[in-house]
Amino acid sequence: VLKLFKLLHRTRQEVFKNDTKALEAARQKINEEFRNNRDETSEEKINELLKIGSDVEVILRTSVIQAVHTDSDKI
C-alpha cells in the first residue's frame, strides 16, 4: 500500500510538473483516498483498491497531457 502511495505521488510530480494547482489538487485527492480507506481490513477490498490505484497511476502516466502557452494564441 505504501509503495503505491509513493508511486502515485511521484507520478503526480512528473505529470503535473510546473502546474501548482494540479499538483496540489492531485496531492489532496491521493491523500484523501488513502485516508478514507486506511481502516479497511477486508483483503478482497484492499486488493480491489490497490488495483484501482495502479490503474489510476497508469492512466496518469500514459494519458494526461499538459499544454504550455507559448504565445497568446499558441499552445
Side-chain angles (χ1 to χ4, degrees), residues 14-32:
E14 291 173 19
V15 171
F16 300 118
K17 187 177 184 179
N18 299 324
D19 185 345
T20 56
K21 287 182 182 181
L23 281 167
E24 181 59 23
R27 185 188 70 78
Q28 287 180 1
K29 185 64 175 174
I30 292 166
N31 290 346
E32 176 186 326

Side-chain angles (χ1 to χ4, degrees), residues 4-70:
L4 177 60
F5 181 79
K6 289 179 179 181
L7 178 61
L8 283 166
H9 277 289
R10 280 192 299 271
T11 301
R12 166 189 72 91
Q13 290 174 331
E14 291 173 19
V15 171
F16 300 118
K17 187 177 184 179
N18 299 324
D19 185 345
T20 56
K21 287 182 182 181
L23 281 167
E24 181 59 23
R27 185 188 70 78
Q28 287 180 1
K29 185 64 175 174
I30 292 166
N31 290 346
E32 176 186 326
E33 291 298 323
F34 275 82
R35 193 177 312 111
N36 289 343
N37 294 295
R38 71 175 171 218
D39 295 326
E40 185 59 56
T41 57
S42 165
E43 186 175 340
E44 185 177 309
K45 180 68 174 174
I46 291 170
N47 287 334
E48 180 183 330
L49 291 167
L50 288 171
K51 173 73 171 115
I52 291 168
S54 294
D55 291 346
V56 167
E57 193 276 332
V58 169
I59 290 169
L60 281 173
R61 191 169 18 88
T62 60
S63 300
V64 174
I65 299 171
Q66 288 291 95
V68 176
H69 281 277
T70 58

